[in-house]
Structure formats: C-alpha cells, structure tokens
Amino acid sequence: MSAYSERLFPFSNLAKVSNTISVLPKEFMKVPTAQLGLMQLSERQIKILGICSSTFDKQIPSDLFMAANSIELLKKAPTAILTMMLDSFGLVSSGDYLIRPIAIYYEG
C-alpha cells in the first residue's frame, strides 16, 4: 500500500488519526518520513489542528458515473478515485473527515 500511495502522493504523507485523514506535504514536515512510521508505536496521543476540507459521506460517489458530460466527469474523477483508493485500503469510513492540517503535535 505504501508503494501505491507513494505514486499517488509523491510529495506527501497520509495521516489517519481517529476519524480524520490528512495529506501532509513532506516539505513542511520537521520529522523524516522513516521516523514517522516509528512514532506510531508511541503511547502518546497525537493531535492535529486543522481545517475540515470535506467529509467522506459516501464510499463510492455514485454521481461520478452519472456525469452528463466530460467536463463534469473531469471535475469529479480525482476526488472519486481518491475516495475509492482510501476506501479499498480500509482507511476511511462514511463520516470521516478530510483535514487540511495547520499543526500536528503529541501531547505529553
């Protein structure tokens, strides 16, 4: 899954915390990607301060296939593909939030 994600998000990391998912630009991270994987073993609680961009209301957007013209299809396809990819890996559920992070920190 990480190889697939690396192709889709070459300059970003995905972070799943509780019922939120965030795309983290690597250029703004103070911690190397390899160290992030080890940090998940910590008992400390991670906190994300950010802006809610959207909610995953449906797992597979049915209106994608009902798009009346190619312009509508082009507008909706990237979001639909991302949602299907995250859903297929079990990373999102209906009601989860896509958060645009401002700050990420550990408590304690």
Side-chain angles (χ1 to χ4, degrees):
M1 185 177 100
S2 62
Y4 188 70
S5 296
E6 184 64 30
R7 294 260 187 201
L8 285 175
F9 306 103
F11 304 108
S12 302
N13 290 313
L14 290 177
K16 172 77 172 167
V17 177
S18 189
N19 65 337
T20 68
I21 192 157
S22 300
V23 180
L24 312 173
K26 289 180 182 178
E27 67 181 300
F28 298 119
M29 299 296 294
K30 293 183 179 181
V31 177
T33 301
Q35 191 175 349
L36 285 175
L38 296 173
M39 292 174 77
Q40 71 181 343
L41 301 174
S42 172
E43 295 295 321
R44 298 182 299 167
Q45 294 292 315
I46 191 168
K47 300 291 180 181
I48 296 181
L49 174 66
I51 299 168
C52 180
S53 297
S54 63
T55 304
F56 292 95
D57 294 327
K58 300 183 230 176
Q59 294 312 99
I60 299 174
S62 58
D63 58 348
L64 173 69
F65 304 107
M66 303 300 219
N69 58 46
S70 59
I71 299 298
E72 280 298 308
L73 184 63
L74 289 173
K75 283 175 22 183
K76 294 181 180 184
T79 302
I81 291 168
L82 175 63
T83 301
M84 286 186 270
M85 189 268 310
L86 293 173
D87 181 42
S88 68
F89 289 124
L91 292 175
V92 294
S93 303
S94 184
D96 282 359
Y97 299 96
L98 179 62
I99 302 295
R100 191 175 72 209
I102 296 170
I104 301 170
Y105 61 94
Y106 281 99
E107 277 192 347

